[in-house]
């Protein structure tokens, strides 16, 4: 699965959440992620709206008044302590860290002392965490897919902040997008892209450009709260399969390999996480015996050709390797899509693989079932069996 963000009308937290819900993410998934923070009660509501005659979804984030002073350190602690998938926590912290560096630069203070002002309010915290949970549910977080974005319309003019008039684009917005090397433009006389929207784009987009070749599977349109005359105020999320991923069609991929004998083995899980974050499709280890009887591992990384440079850099940055072998291999990928089944009243993601119109395999997302088992205190094997049975009942043509 790949994704493309159409940021021609800018981006904000509520636009991002609206695009996710419009693309099929259950609102309950976003609400549960916010609830996991353990802060004051924040409620999400999704409403169908129209922007310039086009249908979209607007997600309202309703927060109670609060006087809690949440600085960067406190926000990071809240996210890290939340009972959320590790990828969700990591991406939410990464998004706030981007904002933190931007605010630290704007106010010339240390990162640990940054006070986010409006950005640190409950609604922005909810936006960040819910957006990361939604992208995780869609399986389009950085470790498992490629997300790109268009040029970002940031707007212009002046807005009012806690300390007075602020020029637009907001300094934090420009700093975040500038650090991500994102192309930007003004074009409209208002704030089109907020710092929160900029941080989410920068966190998930691995590159910028026009809509990539794909076979479209879902489109989500997330509306902002206003309906300005200049353009339809919505962020679009387009999801699909790469155009070359025709069922069984041959393609190519890159395999990077290196032998490592001097890395603390406890670091390998973090190495794999870094490789997936850089765009790797898969990463695995093979035990080997090197010269002089030294035990070691061969690290193998499979990736698309276009992300091989980023993955190569991640290997050198996170391991002790000083060289790599690069192989071009043939690859056959089946057509696939994501769906859900309900187990104990909760959605569990499943992946369906097809050859032409024939379903040949259905697999249940293990992490979803494991999280449900932990929540309910039930044996994992029972819920995994229940989810698998429901998946095959929905797609009876699959090979059991």
């Amino acid at each position: 699965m790949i994704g493309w963000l159409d940021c021609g009308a800018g981006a904000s937290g509520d636009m991002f959440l609206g695009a996710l819900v419009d693309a099929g993410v259950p609102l309950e998934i976003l609400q549960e992620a916010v609830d996991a923070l353990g802060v004051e009660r924040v409620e999400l509501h999704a409403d169908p709206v129209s922007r310039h005659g086009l249908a979209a979804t607007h997600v309202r984030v309703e927060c109670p008044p609060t006087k809690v002073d949440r600085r960067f350190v406190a926000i990071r602690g809240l996210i890290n302590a939340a009972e959320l998938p590790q990828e969700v926590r990591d991406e939410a912290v990464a998004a706030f860290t981007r904002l933190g560096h931007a605010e630290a630069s704007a106010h010339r203070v240390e990162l640990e002392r940054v006070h986010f002002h409006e950005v640190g309010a409950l609604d922005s915290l909810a936006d960040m965490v819910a957006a990361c949970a939604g992208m995780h549910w869609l399986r389009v977080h950085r470790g498992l897919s490629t997300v790109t974005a268009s040029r970002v319309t940031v707007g212009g003019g002046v807005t009012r902040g806690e300390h007075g008039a602020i020029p637009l684009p907001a300094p934090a917005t420009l700093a975040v997008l500038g650090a991500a090397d994102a192309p930007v433009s003004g074009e409209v006389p208002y704030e089109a892209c907020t710092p929160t929207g900029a941080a989410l784009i920068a966190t998930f987009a691995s590159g910028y450009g026009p809509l990539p070749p794909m076979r479209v599977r879902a489109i989500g349109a997330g509306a902002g709260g206003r309906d300005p005359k200049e353009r339809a105020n919505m962020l679009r999320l387009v999801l699909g399969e790469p155009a070359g991923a025709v069922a069984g069609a041959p393609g190519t991929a890159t395999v990077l390999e290196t032998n490592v004998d001097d890395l603390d083995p406890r670091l390998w899980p973090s190495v794999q996480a870094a490789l997936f974050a850089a765009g790797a499709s898969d990463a695995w280890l093979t035990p080997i015996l090197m010269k002089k009887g030294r035990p070691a591992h061969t690290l193998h990384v499979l990736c698309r050709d276009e992300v091989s440079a980023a993955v190569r850099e991640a290997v050198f940055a996170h391991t002790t390797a000083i060289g790599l072998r690069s192989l071009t291999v043939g690859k056959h990928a089946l057509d696939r899509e994501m769906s859900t089944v309900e187990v104990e009243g909760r959605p569990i993601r499943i992946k369906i693989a097809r050859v032409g119109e024939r379903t040949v395999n259905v697999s249940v997302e293990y992490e979803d079932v494991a999280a449900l088992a932990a929540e309910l205190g039930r044996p994992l094997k029972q819920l995994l069996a229940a989810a698998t049975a429901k998946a095959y009942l929905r797609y009876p043509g699959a090979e059991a």
Side-chain angles (χ1 to χ4, degrees), residues 334-341 348-355 358-366 384 386-400:
L334 294 181
D335 187 14
R336 67 201 72 178
E337 66 181 62
M338 299 299 296
S339 185
T340 62
V341 293
I348 300 294
R349 289 172 296 172
I350 59 174
K351 183 183 295 181
I352 305 99
R354 292 190 174 94
V355 174
R358 184 167 63 95
T359 299
V360 296
N361 192 29
V362 178
S363 60
V364 175
E365 291 299 323
Y366 175 86
L384 188 60
T388 301
K390 287 195 173 186
Y392 278 101
L393 283 174
R394 176 173 293 185
Y395 298 94
E399 304 293 336

Side-chain angles (χ1 to χ4, degrees), residues 115-344:
H115 177 204
F116 281 97
H117 303 288
E118 291 89 352
V119 173
L122 274 177
D123 57 349
S124 292
L125 179 58
D127 286 341
M128 291 283 199
V129 174
C132 292
M135 293 291 275
H136 179 79
W137 188 89
L138 286 172
R139 302 289 285 177
V140 287
H141 53 86
R142 287 287 295 267
L144 292 171
S145 68
T146 295
V147 178
T148 56
S150 71
R151 181 178 62 185
V152 183
T153 299
V154 292
V158 177
T159 189
R160 302 294 300 182
E162 181 178 340
H163 300 297
I166 299 174
L168 295 174
T173 298
L174 281 181
V176 169
L177 294 176
D181 202 27
V184 300
S185 63
E187 300 185 29
V188 294
Y190 53 82
E191 184 177 34
C193 185
T194 66
T196 299
L200 289 171
I201 292 169
T203 297
F204 289 106
S206 59
Y208 299 88
L211 177 70
M214 71 165 73
R215 291 179 296 146
V216 176
R217 298 301 185 214
I219 304 170
R226 298 174 298 173
D227 191 9
K229 66 180 185 300
E230 285 80 5
R231 60 187 61 188
N233 189 24
M234 61 174 65
L235 173 73
R236 291 192 299 169
L237 172 62
V238 183
L239 302 170
E241 300 293 340
V246 178
T252 61
T254 298
V255 174
L256 303 175
E257 294 181 347
T258 185
N259 297 341
V260 180
D261 67 350
D262 56 350
L263 182 73
D264 186 331
R266 294 173 296 181
L267 295 177
W268 282 120
S270 65
V271 170
Q272 288 183 301
L275 295 173
F276 288 131
S281 302
D282 201 358
W284 66 99
L285 295 172
T286 301
I288 60 172
L289 193 67
M290 295 180 63
K291 62 184 179 182
K292 300 181 180 179
R294 297 198 306 271
H297 291 91
T298 297
L299 171 65
H300 313 264
V301 189
L302 177 70
C303 61
R304 299 181 311 280
D305 300 338
E306 60 268 24
V307 300
S308 60
V311 174
R312 187 165 54 247
E313 291 180 9
V315 171
F316 289 134
H318 295 275
T319 75
T320 53
I322 58 175
L324 278 174
R325 299 181 293 276
S326 179
L327 310 171
T328 299
V329 298
K331 182 178 179 180
H332 294 256
L334 294 181
D335 187 14
R336 67 201 72 178
E337 66 181 62
M338 299 299 296
S339 185
T340 62
V341 293
E342 189 172 288
V343 177
E344 299 294 336

Side-chain angles (χ1 to χ4, degrees), residues 109 114 250:
V109 299
V114 167

Side-chain angles (χ1 to χ4, degrees), residues 10-58:
S12 63
D14 57 347
M15 293 166 75
F16 211 103
L17 298 186
L20 290 169
V21 172
D22 208 54
V25 178
L27 186 66
E28 294 77 13
I29 295 296
L30 309 185
Q31 183 68 64
E32 288 169 5
V34 176
D35 293 344
L37 292 169
V39 295
E40 300 90 326
R41 176 62 179 172
V42 177
E43 295 186 358
L44 307 182
H45 303 273
D47 304 309
V49 297
S50 175
R51 296 291 181 263
H52 286 217
L54 301 176
T57 297
H58 179 233

